[in-house]
Amino acid sequence: MLLKEIKDIFHTELGAIYPKEEIDSFFYSCIEHYLNLERFILAIQPGYTLNKDEEQPLFEALSELKLEKPLQYILGTAHFMDLELHVDENVLIPRPETEELVQWILLDAERPPARRVGSRMVIERSRNDHSLRILDIGTGSGCIAIALAKHLPDAKIYALDVSEGALSVAKENAASNGVDVTFLHQDILNPEINLEFDVIVSNPPYVRELEKNEIQRNVKDFEPDTALFVSDEDPLLFYRAILGFAENHLSENGKLYFEINQYLAEETKALFNTRNFSEIELRKDMFGNYRMLKAIMQ
């Protein structure tokens, strides 16, 4: 069959579900992944023909796309910053908003730390007695921890998750990207960790059940519920738990970073009111939503 004919079938079968540009993206991603063909192949070889074996994975992918299964799960890969990661239904698909959180951490890591002495902020020199110690809580695919390990090669990176399936994926991704991450099978609601960290970061579950009707089917039906949703009655459960953990495991002047629910930004910030943290900052993502929070341990 002509490759162009298969492209037309993609548009015919998926046109009622996805916009044209997204269908084009699906098609070209599939031929690149399964056949190692560049997206301009039809421009230079409009008569390019596939045999039955080459056609099969494309039609199998098409069948799954019709069910609105995310393309990343179909292909088994997702991109995050400059990384290629394996993903499956055990882990969330990494989002560009989370890239922004990592970039914030990296920018801060480049600046010398400061502490307040009276009315002045005094720049401290980097400590030489240990490398920067970073903990990623709820690591999922490992995207945050692995990106930090890639860009901060002298740091000691730890990553925690309650899901054995997620940790298996994260370990595979760390190995394939050539970084050293220490993985911990722990429940942050009942942690057993005796380490101190300079940075703690987390993108915990934060979507309330009442927000499910806003979630697209390809997310709601395929991505892991336990990594996405929290009860309406206690939507900040994980933030309180991580905040309490940080009070006991974050070094002086250590930094805590969260990805947050845009609808609960002020409520999340208010959790810090009676805690031993300062310089609490909310930050908007590329879409103009409050999606990130940072605080410094006093």
Side-chain angles (χ1 to χ4, degrees):
M1 183 180 287
L2 290 172
L3 183 61
K4 182 183 183 303
E5 292 175 330
I6 297 177
K7 182 182 178 184
D8 291 340
I9 292 171
F10 265 62
H11 281 275
T12 300
E13 296 290 326
L14 300 175
I17 308 172
Y18 303 101
K20 178 181 181 299
E21 294 75 15
E22 192 166 6
I23 298 170
D24 280 340
S25 177
F26 290 157
F27 174 76
Y28 289 121
S29 294
C30 285
I31 66 170
E32 181 181 1
H33 180 80
Y34 292 116
L35 305 174
N36 200 29
L37 294 174
E38 299 287 351
R39 63 183 299 123
F40 54 76
I41 183 67
L42 288 177
I44 59 175
Q45 296 187 55
Y48 195 95
T49 303
L50 303 182
N51 61 41
K52 291 292 184 183
D53 289 341
E54 291 170 325
E55 293 172 6
Q56 182 178 350
L58 299 181
F59 284 116
E60 289 176 353
L62 175 60
S63 295
E64 293 189 285
L65 286 168
K66 288 168 67 175
L67 299 173
E68 299 187 47
K69 185 174 183 177
L71 181 67
Q72 293 92 332
Y73 287 157
I74 296 170
L75 303 183
T77 61
H79 295 280
F80 184 81
M81 297 182 67
D82 53 351
L83 305 171
E84 183 171 300
L85 303 172
H86 169 64
V87 292
D88 62 25
E89 285 86 345
N90 287 295
V91 301
L92 295 179
I93 296 166
R95 263 63 172 188
E97 300 95 309
T98 308
E99 291 186 0
E100 293 184 83
L101 181 65
V102 172
Q103 289 163 352
W104 192 5
I105 297 170
L106 292 175
L107 282 172
D108 284 351
E110 293 175 359
R111 302 186 183 113
R115 61 186 177 89
R116 185 171 295 280
V117 177
S119 61
R120 297 181 301 117
M121 292 300 292
V122 177
I123 299 297
E124 294 181 333
R125 297 301 151 206
S126 298
R127 289 169 292 182
N128 296 318
D129 57 339
H130 68 267
S131 301
L132 195 67
R133 295 162 302 195
I134 301 175
L135 174 65
D136 172 27
I137 297 175
T139 195
S141 66
C143 60
I144 292 175
I146 294 166
L148 291 173
K150 199 79 172 178
H151 290 271
L152 300 172
D154 294 329
K156 179 63 176 175
I157 310 292
Y158 297 81
L160 174 157
D161 208 289
V162 70
S163 165
E164 291 186 3
L167 286 175
S168 177
V169 171
K171 289 175 183 178
E172 177 185 339
N173 285 329
S176 65
N177 283 281
V179 297
D180 183 20
V181 177
T182 300
F183 291 99
L184 306 171
H185 183 213
Q186 295 265 340
D187 181 354
I188 194 56
L189 299 180
N190 294 287
E192 297 179 3
I193 300 173
N194 295 314
L195 298 169
E196 185 179 71
F197 304 96
D198 303 297
V199 173
I200 294 176
V201 55
S202 183
N203 177 18
Y206 59 66
V207 181
R208 293 169 293 179
E209 294 286 337
L210 63 86
E211 296 169 39
K212 272 192 173 182
N213 62 340
E214 300 179 23
I215 304 297
Q216 293 180 331
R217 182 184 169 192
N218 60 343
V219 175
K220 186 165 49 181
D221 290 358
F222 292 96
E223 300 201 46
D225 278 4
T226 54
L228 278 171
F229 296 107
V230 288
S231 72
D232 296 338
E233 292 74 26
D234 194 6
L236 300 180
L237 167 67
F238 289 99
Y239 293 92
R240 284 201 317 276
I242 294 167
L243 194 50
F245 175 85
E247 285 186 308
N248 295 310
H249 295 273
L250 197 57
S251 61
E252 184 180 357
N253 296 315
K255 299 181 179 74
L256 175 61
Y257 298 86
F258 280 132
E259 185 168 325
I260 64 172
N261 185 326
Q262 68 189 65
Y263 302 120
L264 298 172
E266 291 299 332
E267 291 88 340
T268 307
K269 184 178 180 182
L271 290 177
F272 291 81
N273 286 343
T274 59
R275 305 281 189 158
N276 196 30
F277 285 85
S278 63
E279 300 181 48
I280 303 154
E281 178 183 354
L282 289 171
R283 183 171 289 194
K284 292 181 178 180
D285 63 16
M286 66 184 77
F287 304 110
N289 300 315
Y290 282 115
R291 186 69 70 182
M292 295 165 277
L293 184 150
K294 168 189 163 186
I296 297 177
M297 187 73 175
Q298 292 180 333

